[in-house]
């Protein structure tokens, strides 16, 4: 769990570097540069729920507001540190919780726009302020006078008469200060500050390079015949992408953030498939100005050195100490136990595909570029359907409003009303007001679902306004995806994976919307990284819940429900391909751990060679299944998931258990939803994460449901 002091800054930088400047070293406040009335961040938004004033916000507003925000918070923190009164919970801990209002509301918008709709001006501000943000955090968390107040309260915490949440807040602040380096010598603190500043700059450069590589690595096609097999709307989209890039009359296959690329499922032209896979896998390693290999090595070295300075064997030990996993050994065991079975399953899947290639007289060995194409053929043989049969039943508005929202209504009683009067940052963004079953307001939900060149890859949730029990603010949250936008007038027909992702991200949104805690430190998704994915993964179950699916999976032209026979095939095929899916995920998770389990003084300088060696050592160097992310475009580990990409699997253990609980207790029922909300979703980080699970489930988790789901139960036994 990150402290509140770092949340907004981490969002702005997509990094989790701890970090504060002393007043004498600070950038000057921006008051003189811009009058209050001219900058919408300088006052609290007058819109419902304090929603951002996207109708007024301009690029030039960010830097003055961020710099003034840092200066204001610094002054607020200094006043707490030098308070002549003896430290109390109210005048120290609660006082810190109330600092940084301007910085937090500005960074919440800036951080998300830097990912969702960036531009050169935003990127320039991001690069310029990254080291200043890190220094701002350092000046707070390494302030000896301030830490002395926190420590004195922590030492007497059992005698202060605090309620459970307040006591946890005090303990959390103490841990955050210690982990940030508060106990270091003054000389070591200066060394740490320099490391944090450099890491912040490197992370920003890395993330910007990833986006630029995606936008410059698209595969240009000159003959439409090469696109045989691609759906007509995808061909049209490729033509429009080429035209926008200055290649009218050609077709451009844009890349997505993962190693695998969606067109590989449909394209019959093997040479083109190979070009696309090659372009995907070599991103960030091409020796151009956006090459990230040196950055990966430098970041690994700095993180290892920082961990040693803080008293840890390596960066992974530092990170995992504060997660529910607890230790490097626990994570290594989880990943290594599953790897052999996952690869064995992947090889079985490959053998089935190779049999088809041979039967067709293909004359080649299955490669990474061929996997999705032939997996689809196996799926058609085994289950007599292909993915293209599903898409006409997954029109985006139906999926969202009659699927995602409908499920939330059935389970929690929520109601949704679209608000077209609230300004947005892009015409594709939509806003809904969310109400409780009794009609009382809950919060705002923004949906930004389409891909664009100004948007980073992947899918994510963010909070523009977190729930805050101290001020009474209600949550304003947003979901983002990268669904290709169809041509004007054409419906948006989603893949099954995109549907599942929409349910997943809304699980995060519910976690933010249902937050009901006193202190902003604990609001919404402010939980350990290996716990935060758990509620969102649980929400995926409703995508295929019969009554939910029947409500939204209707043909976009005829309105006919998805045929039961097709639905049965979809459900029967759910476990198919788990060998590939588990292997590519484990390869990325193992790579993340290998990078961050390097010790200071022994960090590889050749990132690509190290990657190959690490995958081989883990038994995951299976060429037809490359890692879901290679290190040069592995944005997760450059941000908040460093040494933490395993978290999705760790969370899935809890998720699979929870799905079993819902089934055991009658499934989609209000009382089940209310129980999940009361015991877990509303609690944020106000309790120990595993205790929240126990409060919901009634016992500790078991791994068996996960093994069954992924088809690994027989392969590794009952351990």
């Amino acid at each position: 769990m990150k402290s509140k002091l770092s949340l907004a800054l981490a969002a702005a930088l997509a990094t989790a570097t701890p970090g504060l400047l002393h007043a004498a070293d600070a950038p000057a406040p921006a008051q003189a540069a811009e009058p209050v009335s001219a900058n919408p961040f300088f006052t609290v938004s007058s819109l419902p729920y304090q929603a951002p004033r996207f109708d007024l916000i301009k690029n030039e507003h960010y830097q003055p507001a961020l710099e003034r925000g840092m200066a204001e918070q610094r002054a607020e923190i200094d006043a707490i540190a030098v308070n002549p009164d003896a430290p109390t919970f109210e005048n120290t801990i609660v006082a810190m919780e109330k600092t940084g209002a301007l910085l937090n509301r500005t960074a919440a918008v800036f951080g998300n726009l830097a990912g969702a709709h960036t531009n050169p001006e935003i990127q320039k501000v991001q690069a310029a302020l990254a080291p200043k943000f890190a220094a701002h955090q350092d000046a707070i968390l390494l302030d000896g006078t301030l830490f002395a107040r926190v420590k004195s309260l922590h030492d007497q915490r059992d005698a202060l008469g605090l309620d459970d949440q307040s006591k946890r807040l005090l303990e959390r602040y103490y841990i955050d200060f210690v982990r940030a380096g508060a106990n270091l010598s003054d000389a070591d603190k200066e060394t740490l500050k320099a490391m944090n500043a450099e890491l912040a700059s490197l992370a920003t450069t890395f993330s910007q390079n990833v986006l630029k590589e995606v936008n410059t690595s698209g595969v240009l096609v000159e003959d439409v015949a090469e696109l045989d097999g691609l759906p007509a709307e995808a061909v049209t989209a490729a033509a429009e992408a080429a035209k926008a890039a200055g290649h009218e009359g050609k077709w451009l296959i844009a890349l997505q953030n993962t190693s695998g690329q969606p067109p590989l499922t449909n394209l019959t032209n093997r040479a083109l498939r190979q070009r696309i896979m090659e372009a995907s896998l070599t991103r960030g390693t091409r020796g151009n100005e956006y090459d990230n290999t040196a950055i990966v090595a430098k970041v690994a070295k700095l993180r290892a050195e920082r961990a040693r300075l803080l008293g840890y064997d390596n960066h992974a030990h530092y990170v995992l100490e504060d997660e529910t996993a607890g230790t490097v050994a626990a994570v290594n065991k989880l990943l290594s136990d599953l790897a052999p079975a996952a690869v064995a399953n992947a090889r079985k899947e490959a053998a089935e595909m190779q049999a088809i290639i041979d039967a067709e007289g293909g004359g080649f060995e299955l490669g990474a570029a061929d996997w999705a194409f032939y997996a689809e053929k196996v799926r058609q043989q085994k289950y007599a359907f292909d993915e293209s049969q599903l898409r006409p039943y997954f029109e985006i508005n139906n999926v969202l409003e009659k699927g995602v929202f409908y499920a939330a209504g059935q389970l929690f009683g929520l109601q949704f009303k679209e608000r077209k009067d609230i300004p947005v940052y892009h015409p594709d963004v939509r806003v809904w007001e969310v109400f409780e079953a009794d009609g009382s307001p809950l919060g705002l939900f923004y949906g930004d679902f389409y891909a664009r060149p100004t948007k980073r890859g992947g899918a994510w949730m963010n909070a523009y306004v977190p729930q805050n029990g101290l001020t009474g603010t209600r949550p304003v949250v947003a979901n983002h995806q990268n669904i290709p936008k169809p041509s004007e007038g054409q419906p948006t027909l989603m893949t099954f994976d995109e549907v599942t992702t929409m349910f997943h991200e809304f699980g995060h949104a519910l976690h933010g919307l249902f937050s009901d805690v006193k202190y902003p430190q604990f609001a919404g998704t402010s939980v350990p990284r290996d716990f935060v994915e758990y509620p969102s993964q649980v929400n995926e179950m409703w995508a295929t819940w019969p009554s939910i699916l029947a409500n939204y999976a209707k043909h976009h032209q005829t309105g006919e429900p998805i045929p039961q026979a097709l639905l049965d095939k979809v459900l029967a095929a759910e476990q198919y391909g788990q060998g590939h899916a588990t292997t590519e995920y484990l390869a990325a998770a193992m790579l993340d751990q290998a990078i961050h389990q390097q010790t200071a003084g022994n960090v590889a300088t050749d990132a690509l060679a190290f990657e190959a060696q690490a995958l081989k050592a883990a038994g995951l160097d299976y060429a037809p299944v490359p890692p879901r992310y290679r290190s040069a475009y592995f944005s997760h580990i450059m941000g908040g998931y460093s040494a933490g990409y395993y978290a999705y699997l760790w969370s899935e253990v809890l998720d699979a258990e929870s799905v079993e609980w819902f089934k055991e207790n009658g499934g989609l029922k209000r009382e089940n939803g209310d129980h999940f909300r009361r015991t877990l979703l509303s609690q944020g980080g106000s309790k120990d994460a595993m205790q929240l699970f126990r409060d919901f489930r009634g016992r500790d988790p078991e791994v068996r449901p996960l093994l069954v789901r992924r088809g690994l139960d027989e392969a590794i036994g009952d351990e």
Side-chain angles (χ1 to χ4, degrees), residues 592-639:
D592 171 29
Q593 289 302 315
I595 290 170
H596 291 114
Q597 289 180 27
Q598 297 178 94
T599 56
N602 192 33
V603 177
T605 56
D606 187 334
L608 294 183
F610 177 80
E611 179 178 311
Q613 293 166 3
L615 292 174
K616 183 175 182 180
L620 290 161
D621 57 334
Y622 182 41
V625 187
R628 184 168 175 81
Y629 301 98
R630 296 189 69 197
S631 54
Y633 52 90
F634 203 165
S635 295
H636 289 77
I637 65 170
M638 210 51 63

Side-chain angles (χ1 to χ4, degrees), residues 289 347 402 524:
E289 60 184 313
R347 290 184 182 277
K402 297 181 180 180

Side-chain angles (χ1 to χ4, degrees), residues 420-580:
K420 297 188 177 181
D421 58 322
I422 293 178
V424 293
Y425 55 86
H426 188 279
D428 289 341
V429 180
R430 300 167 67 185
V431 185
W432 288 264
E433 188 170 8
V434 187
F435 299 92
E436 300 278 16
D438 63 3
S440 59
L442 180 61
L444 285 183
F445 171 73
Y446 288 63
D448 180 1
F449 302 114
Y450 291 116
R452 51 182 171 268
T454 59
K455 192 180 195 180
R456 72 173 175 87
W460 70 97
M461 170 267 189
N462 73 290
Y464 288 115
V465 182
Q467 179 264 331
N468 186 334
L470 295 176
T471 62
T473 55
R474 298 181 185 276
V476 177
V477 304
N479 280 174
H480 310 80
Q481 285 184 243
N482 270 276
I483 300 168
K485 190 174 182 180
S487 302
E488 186 70 29
Q490 296 300 308
T492 302
L493 304 180
M494 302 168 65
T495 66
F496 187 58
D497 182 64
E498 289 165 346
V499 170
T500 304
T501 298
M502 183 173 281
F503 276 86
H504 174 100
E505 293 305 327
F506 196 71
H508 285 306
L510 290 171
H511 206 176
L513 287 166
F514 285 153
S515 180
D516 187 16
V517 297
K518 182 176 181 180
Y519 302 112
Q521 165 87 243
F522 299 136
T525 58
S526 298
V527 297
R529 282 291 186 187
D530 56 4
F531 193 81
V532 73
E533 297 298 334
Y534 156 52
S536 57
Q537 290 177 192
V538 170
N539 205 59
E540 292 180 27
M541 71 180 291
W542 309 118
T544 54
W545 195 262
S547 62
I548 302 299
L549 194 62
N551 198 61
Y552 76 83
K554 298 181 179 180
H555 198 283
H556 71 102
Q557 291 176 319
T558 66
E560 291 295 316
I562 189 169
Q564 187 62 45
L566 179 57
L567 176 57
D568 290 343
K569 292 172 184 176
V570 172
L571 298 178
E574 271 195 309
Q575 201 175 84
Y576 175 73
Q578 283 299 319
H580 178 278

Side-chain angles (χ1 to χ4, degrees), residues 203-224:
T204 299
T205 302
F206 181 95
S207 65
Q208 293 182 359
N209 283 349
V210 168
L211 179 61
K212 291 169 183 174
E213 271 285 76
V214 166
N215 289 334
T216 59
S217 297
V219 176
L220 195 63
V221 176
E222 301 197 8
D223 184 354
V224 71

Side-chain angles (χ1 to χ4, degrees), residues 351-420:
E352 293 178 319
M353 296 180 229
Q354 189 65 52
I356 293 178
I357 293 170
D358 295 343
E360 294 177 348
F364 60 86
E365 187 174 341
L366 178 78
D370 307 310
W371 191 287
F373 182 77
Y374 285 96
E376 189 59 32
K377 288 198 171 192
V378 173
R379 191 194 310 274
Q380 290 177 33
Q381 282 189 2
K382 280 192 167 185
Y383 306 104
F385 87 97
D386 62 69
E387 287 286 348
S388 64
Q389 290 179 272
L390 298 176
R391 294 179 72 242
Y393 298 95
F394 295 151
E395 191 274 327
I396 189 169
N397 290 311
N398 279 343
V399 173
L400 179 64
E401 297 179 348
K402 297 181 180 180
V404 175
F405 290 173
Y406 177 74
Q410 294 293 298
L411 194 61
F412 304 110
L414 298 187
Q415 305 172 59
F416 300 83
K417 176 185 177 183
E418 188 161 10
R419 294 287 300 265
K420 297 188 177 181

Side-chain angles (χ1 to χ4, degrees), residues 76-111:
E76 293 165 341
I77 290 291
D78 286 348
I80 296 169
V82 301
N83 187 343
D85 295 336
T88 66
F89 180 76
E90 287 293 329
N91 72 16
T92 302
I93 305 302
V94 175
M96 282 195 287
E97 281 289 274
K98 294 179 178 178
T99 66
L102 170 58
L103 178 59
N104 289 335
R105 66 174 172 262
T106 307
V109 175
F110 177 73

Side-chain angles (χ1 to χ4, degrees), residues 63-180:
Q63 187 158 346
L66 291 167
E67 291 187 339
R68 181 188 287 191
M70 284 188 281
E72 286 185 2
Q73 186 177 40
R74 195 164 54 250
E76 293 165 341
I77 290 291
D78 286 348
I80 296 169
V82 301
N83 187 343
D85 295 336
T88 66
F89 180 76
E90 287 293 329
N91 72 16
T92 302
I93 305 302
V94 175
M96 282 195 287
E97 281 289 274
K98 294 179 178 178
T99 66
L102 170 58
L103 178 59
N104 289 335
R105 66 174 172 262
T106 307
V109 175
F110 177 73
N112 195 57
L113 267 290
H117 194 42
T118 193
N119 57 57
E121 289 81 9
I122 287 177
Q123 292 176 336
K124 184 177 179 181
V125 173
Q126 194 178 20
L129 292 188
K132 294 182 180 180
F133 280 150
H136 177 71
Q137 293 185 71
D138 280 341
I140 295 173
L141 295 169
L142 300 179
D143 186 315
T145 304
L146 182 63
F147 178 59
R149 296 181 70 89
V150 175
K151 185 177 185 303
S152 69
L153 291 169
H154 185 262
D155 289 346
Q156 55 180 318
R157 61 191 182 281
D158 292 331
L160 296 178
L162 300 175
D163 61 65
D164 289 345
Q165 189 175 154
S166 297
K167 184 179 179 181
R168 180 171 173 80
L169 181 68
L170 171 56
E171 292 172 342
R172 188 66 247 176
Y173 265 94
Y174 178 77
I175 291 170
D176 288 340
F177 272 84
V178 171
R179 284 175 55 78

